[in-house]
Amino acid sequence: MIDLKRILVPTDFSKFSQRALAYAAAFAEKFGAEVYLLHVVQDLALFIPDMITVSPPLAPSVDQLTAAARDAFQRLIEENRLDRLTLHCEVREGTPFYEIIRFAKEADIDLIIMGTHGHTGLAHVLLGSVTEKVVRKAPCPVLTVRDPEHEFIHP
Ligand code: ATP
Ligand code: MN
């Protein structure tokens, strides 16, 4: 019998990952599992070419992004009535797929549930780039969740 004790939901706060969270909540209730919500912030300054010097910085700092993610977690928990679950909220800094896999190993995660797509959500790609890399490299099974209501817009 497969036992699910710890479920990881990496979220970019998109509609897709909201749906993944709904699945995770259902699994968690059935199996009595704990849910780990993880958002990975990236230092946007790393994406600004050296030739551009902006002052004051236009991009939000890692600290600001982390604070915003914590607020977003709070809203997510309230809006989805998740307070009945055992929930842990984590914000990490780095490359999303890498940090997701690192966290899954560290927390001994049994199942990852995530969106097929995220904020970009392009129809012609089968999977978003974060999900594709997590599926390839995760130490545990990955359940990918599509959003049937999402209308893909071709660029
Ligand atoms: P791409 O980013 O490759 O242009 P996309 O945004 O449509 O395409 P992904 O970024 O792979 O697709 O998002 C798929 C899923 O990966 C999301 O639904 C979410 O579960 C997870 N995810 C994406 N970005 C992050 C992040 N920064 N932190 C945590 N989870 C993330
Ligand atoms: Mn994305």
Side-chain angles (χ1 to χ4, degrees):
M1 170 70 186
I2 290 169
D3 208 9
L4 300 179
K5 285 283 163 234
R6 285 171 294 276
I7 299 171
L8 173 61
V9 183
T11 179
D12 60 355
F13 303 104
S14 63
K15 257 182 99 181
F16 290 90
S17 53
Q18 284 247 28
R19 228 176 120 69
L21 180 55
Y23 273 86
F27 271 80
E29 288 209 88
K30 271 254 184 307
F31 283 86
E34 299 179 19
V35 175
Y36 291 78
L37 278 173
L38 170 66
H39 178 68
V40 183
V41 296
Q42 288 177 278
D43 187 352
L44 299 175
L46 298 175
F47 298 95
I48 301 172
D50 285 344
M51 61 188 188
I52 303 173
T53 49
V54 272
S55 92
L58 295 174
S61 67
V62 165
D63 283 351
Q64 285 170 318
L65 291 171
T66 302
R70 295 212 176 278
D71 287 348
F73 277 146
Q74 225 38 58
R75 282 197 300 276
L76 211 57
I77 291 166
E78 282 161 24
E79 283 165 15
N80 296 280
R81 299 164 185 270
L82 298 175
D83 32 15
R84 63 200 147 77
L85 300 174
T86 309
L87 258 184
H88 309 269
C89 297
E90 279 282 328
V91 182
R92 297 280 168 104
E93 184 199 342
T95 304
F97 91 89
Y98 191 86
E99 293 304 320
I100 291 165
I101 287 161
R102 196 218 292 264
F103 185 87
K105 289 181 181 162
E106 187 185 305
D108 200 14
I109 293 296
D110 301 307
L111 174 68
I112 299 174
I113 306 183
M114 64 197 297
T116 52
H117 298 80
H119 276 300
T120 312
L122 293 181
H124 61 266
V125 289
L126 185 61
L127 286 176
S129 63
V130 177
T131 298
E132 187 190 330
K133 290 185 197 111
V134 172
V135 166
R136 279 184 205 275
K137 295 177 184 184
C140 62
V142 182
L143 174 63
T144 62
V145 180
R146 217 163 54 86
D147 180 7
E149 286 162 25
H150 184 87
E151 275 187 49
F152 286 107
I153 297 162
H154 292 274

